[in-house]
Amino acid sequence: MPGVTPNGPRYRFGPFELNTGEESLARNGTRVKVQDLPYRLLVMLVERPGEIVTREEVRQRLWPENTFVEFDNSLGVAIRKVRDSLNDDAEAPRYVETVPRRGYRFVAPVTVLEPVRSPDLPLPTASVTKESSVSSPNGATEAAHPYPRRKYWLTAALVLLLVGGAIYGFRTRPGRLAGKAEALSAETPPRIRRSVAVLGFRNLPGHPEDNWLSPAFSEMLNTELASDGALRMLPGEDVARVKRDLPLADEDSLAKATLDRLRISPGADLVVLGSYTALPGNGERRIRLDVRVQETLRGETLTEKSFTGSEANLFELAVEAGQSLRQSMGISSASNEATLQARAALPSNQEATRFYVEGKRRLWAFDSLLARDLFIKAIAIDPAYPLAHAALSEAWYRLGYTSKARNEAERARSLSEHLGLEDRLLIEGQYYVTLPDRAKAIETYQNLFTQFPDNLDYGLRLADEQRVVNPQDALRTLATLHRLPAPYGEDPRIDLLESRAWTVQDVPKAQAAAARALQVAKAQGSSVLVARSYGILCQTMGGTISDTQKIQYCDAARQYARSAGNRDEVARASNDLAGVYFLQGRMEQAETMYREAFGIFRQTGDIDGIATTANNLGGVALLRGNLDEAARALSAAVTSFREQDDKDGVALALYNLGEVARRRGDLKQAFADYEEGKTAAQEITDKSAIGYILTGVGDALLDRGDLDAARKSYEEALSLRKQTGELQLAAETELSLSRLAIEEGHAADAETVIRKCNEQFHHENQSDDELDSSIALMEALLRESKSATAEKERKDNQALAAKSVNQLLRLQFDLVSARAHLATGDVTSASMLLQRTLRSARAGHLLGIELETQLALAELKKKLGQRVEAQADLVALEKLARGKGFGLIAGKALSARNSSTKEISVN
């Protein structure tokens, strides 16, 4: 297989041996057939026995960042195939254990064997040591799982590193095709072609309606000068970035100091610039184009020429200028075939050209929304222009509309027949990225990089795809890029991507690479790359960076992104900063940053960012007990997820909306939300999401007093969670069944199960689940009349409850604590806690908690001898509960009332 590290380590566990050098799995010496993705997943697990490999780590290494639905389905398939190859059982795992919401763990003992050294193969240029257990690089993911907790959930924050961006210039035609050995060999450096940056042209008359001619001439000259591959044309996006950083307006000529900086970044040997003006006269308007070529090394002007042509035929004017410049640079004229391919890379209509180049200019200025509209206009005029479809695909992709991006990329691909090979491969790679088909994308970018081994952008594209599938392949490609001569091998984007490749394996190395990128980016004065460097330092979990430093890095990323004019990057950094605050339990600061990110994403039109931050806001609000705000945010998330056609996101957001409705006491709406979410989850066969929803349905049925139906729903959820191997979620469902058992009169049986769940949650450091199980345990003990044991449990868990940011759990703990006080005769403490809980429940519109607290208060009044008042309260409580559909609490109120009536009549 491509990208395999020769002589890799071997691992032995049970009867199996995993040989990473040969990429083979054997049982008692007999080879076991295992497909590529399951094999890579197995390697990740075996490299870290006993440690949790998070879902985010798996996603970053094996699947693309923005694919939630297909990731979940594919991950489930891959895990099943791993278990099949090991003859493992999800319900009683001997090798691979599922840790719900977190990831997977290899539970069998592993022996690391020395690799078998092959004398015919060199040692790898970059090797990966034993991976560290690294949290998701977004700062919030470990606290905000991709699936909901028992009581709340937050969607993983967006982290997007754009390495060079997509290039949709008028570039075609490779020249001499380099062999693979030339492209990747450390001993044979690639031939470095002269690099040319077309900087743009000054509008001498200054008429605003003619400003579009500057990017138009730039694109056309790029096309002509690149026509036979003899020159390396620097990407327009890189040029735009440097022009912002200097800053550099369109000029007729440049000073030596400016040329020196352009030689370093973007690495130009020659720069093309000049001016244009409309000439007066009768009839059609004519344009004079004045062009200057300057050398960056010596600062000399290589040539300076003027060309005149009709405005109605700008391409012919650009061809004339390009051919003349080629001669001045010592390059022969392009062939007829190359010229025809260059013409095919242009719109057939000049108005379409105008919209297209303006759209690219806006895309490079981080305005994907306006760029999208301009590309749509260009396509409306020239529907058969492939590069406009490719550019529109990129705009949709940056805005988070993956399916729309895929459609446009597919359309571009179908229209690219007459383009040059280079443009066709760029479109092909883009199409596979949107599918996503990482293997095909890697193959395509490998082809590009093999043919153009001096093209840094193609190497970065290749490494960016490789790091998701196999970071070691990415690290080897990046090592090749570092061997390019200066300034190309010193480009900070190489270190940025190296940092991303190390993130899920070695946090200190990831942080060191980001620090190197930061140093170089600052020296170059690139605000965009400085922001991205700080962003990675903000995102990486673990290592030697303190929380205080992490906050400083996040703030710096926001500031530099703002100075670069990149609003989306500002929003991402704000979202990451919110995640840091979330982990610290600073909910107000987290909410402020999420709101800032949400507002910016709405302005930029980034639907992915809108959906993510809306979910994050909904999750924080649900935690803090602000149900109105949670409902607004989650409803916005549902709308955005639907716009993306993200059924997984829709299902889980609707689950949370059902939870909001249930807490409010609107069981009818809760059932409606659960049913709608279940339908969405069933469309993509998302068993995990269905499990959450069935648990929510069980909770609502229990509230309604339909114990048989509740048990059926819980048991169905438990069965699904055992099928998916989600042991912790299964434990949460068993906790729900235990609560049901208490209501059925089987408190002693429930106690045994609850203690087992509590031990598991404590071991997994799941503090909220541990607190939830402790509350259930106290309920069981009180039903068993074990008041002293319940009181001890209360004391043992006071600190855990005080630390929780989950308002509902804190109130439930206070309520059961009051009942424990009441059982031990401490009516004063019980009264104080119950009154406080009742005020909080009413303020937060938590009807279920309010009703349970009223029942406990009636019990308190009975304890104090106020039987008549207690009887009246129970009558009112039963009526209110039945009216709201809370049959369980209504039944308890009726039972207590009947008991009180008997006591009164006896007395």
Side-chain angles (χ1 to χ4, degrees), residues 424-540:
R424 293 203 307 272
L425 288 175
L426 282 168
I427 292 173
E428 193 93 355
Q430 178 189 6
Y431 169 70
Y432 289 127
V433 167
T434 61
L435 274 178
D437 186 335
R438 292 285 177 179
K440 286 288 188 181
I442 289 172
E443 181 182 342
T444 303
Y445 290 137
Q446 180 76 73
N447 192 356
L448 268 171
F449 189 43
T450 298
Q451 296 182 35
F452 299 96
D454 62 342
N455 192 307
L456 175 63
D457 181 65
Y458 298 162
L460 289 172
R461 288 171 187 256
L462 172 61
D464 197 27
E465 297 302 308
Q466 288 174 325
R467 72 177 176 84
V468 180
V469 176
N470 187 343
Q472 292 190 40
D473 288 346
L475 291 169
R476 282 192 289 274
T477 297
L478 293 169
T480 298
L481 295 179
H482 270 308
R483 289 193 293 270
L484 290 172
Y488 316 114
E490 299 169 355
D491 194 295
R493 291 174 297 171
I494 304 175
D495 287 317
L496 281 174
L497 197 49
E498 182 179 336
S499 178
R500 295 295 304 279
W502 279 119
T503 295
V504 297
Q505 302 173 80
D506 192 317
V507 173
K509 287 184 179 180
Q511 292 170 344
R516 291 195 302 271
L518 177 63
Q519 183 179 9
V520 177
K522 280 188 172 181
Q524 293 181 359
S526 174
S527 296
V528 171
L529 299 182
V530 169
R532 291 175 185 166
S533 303
Y534 274 126
I536 290 181
L537 291 170
C538 160
Q539 294 154 10
T540 50

Side-chain angles (χ1 to χ4, degrees), residues 595-612:
R595 288 193 182 282
E596 177 181 301
F598 179 74
I600 297 173
F601 281 133
R602 288 189 64 178
Q603 293 172 9
T604 62
D606 187 333
I607 196 68
D608 230 358
I610 291 170
T612 296

Side-chain angles (χ1 to χ4, degrees), residues 149-426:
R149 292 189 59 85
R150 170 70 176 81
K151 298 298 182 184
Y152 66 96
W153 68 292
L154 302 178
T155 298
L158 284 175
V159 182
L160 177 60
L161 176 66
L162 301 175
V163 274
I167 311 303
Y168 299 116
F170 298 129
R171 281 181 287 145
T172 52
R173 295 110 343 247
R176 177 180 60 86
L177 301 185
K180 184 171 184 178
E182 178 183 0
L184 302 176
S185 170
E187 290 75 21
T188 308
R191 178 178 65 90
I192 305 298
R193 297 166 293 167
R194 273 197 297 178
S195 57
V196 181
V198 180
L199 300 181
F201 300 88
R202 186 155 64 101
N203 179 0
L204 283 181
H207 300 311
E209 64 272 16
D210 292 334
N211 286 342
W212 71 277
L213 290 171
S214 176
F217 281 132
S218 297
E219 294 286 0
M220 293 174 184
L221 280 175
N222 257 309
T223 299
E224 178 59 30
L225 293 175
S227 58
D228 61 357
L231 298 171
R232 180 164 50 88
M233 306 305 297
L234 295 175
E237 186 166 12
D238 291 354
V239 172
R241 171 173 54 83
V242 171
K243 290 176 70 173
R244 279 192 309 272
D245 291 336
L246 287 178
L248 183 65
D250 292 332
E251 299 288 347
D252 291 331
S253 63
L254 298 175
K256 181 63 169 62
T258 302
L259 292 169
D260 287 339
R261 292 190 63 178
L262 291 171
R263 183 169 182 79
I264 296 173
S265 177
D269 297 318
L270 304 172
V271 295
V272 178
L273 66 167
S275 61
Y276 60 91
T277 187
L279 300 176
N282 298 325
E284 65 178 18
R285 199 165 75 140
R286 296 178 66 75
I287 302 292
R288 188 186 75 220
L289 179 64
D290 299 313
V291 183
R292 180 192 300 264
V293 179
Q294 290 184 265
E295 292 183 331
T296 58
L297 180 61
R298 295 189 295 270
E300 297 178 354
T301 297
L302 185 65
T303 186
E304 188 173 6
K305 295 184 178 183
S306 296
F307 308 92
T308 303
S310 168
E311 185 184 27
N313 203 342
L314 296 178
F315 181 70
E316 296 303 327
L317 178 60
V319 168
E320 180 186 357
Q323 289 178 346
S324 178
L325 295 181
R326 290 169 66 86
Q327 292 177 0
S328 301
M329 297 174 187
I331 306 296
S332 60
S333 298
S335 65
N336 290 334
E337 180 185 3
T339 301
L340 289 174
Q341 290 177 340
R343 188 66 187 88
L346 287 168
S348 60
N349 180 284
Q350 193 155 295
E351 190 68 7
T353 301
R354 176 175 182 172
F355 286 128
Y356 173 70
V357 297
E358 284 291 325
K360 290 185 66 178
R361 186 173 66 85
R362 296 313 309 164
L363 193 66
W364 296 337
F366 314 115
D367 190 348
S368 301
L369 203 59
L370 181 55
R372 175 203 65 184
D373 295 341
L374 290 165
F375 294 141
I376 289 174
K377 290 180 179 180
I379 290 170
I381 297 170
D382 188 355
Y385 180 42
L387 293 183
H389 287 283
L392 179 57
S393 172
E394 173 66 9
W396 280 126
Y397 197 77
R398 294 192 185 190
L399 290 170
Y401 294 88
T402 306
S403 60
K404 292 183 178 181
R406 183 186 309 119
N407 292 339
E408 290 301 325
E410 187 173 15
R411 180 63 175 155
R413 187 168 174 242
S414 69
L415 294 169
S416 64
E417 178 183 0
H418 300 295
L419 295 177
L421 177 61
E422 188 174 358
D423 280 328
R424 293 203 307 272
L425 288 175
L426 282 168

Side-chain angles (χ1 to χ4, degrees), residues 123-136:
L123 290 172
T125 57
S127 61
V128 181
T129 58
K130 179 177 178 289
E131 294 183 343
S132 304
S133 179
V134 183
S135 300
S136 239

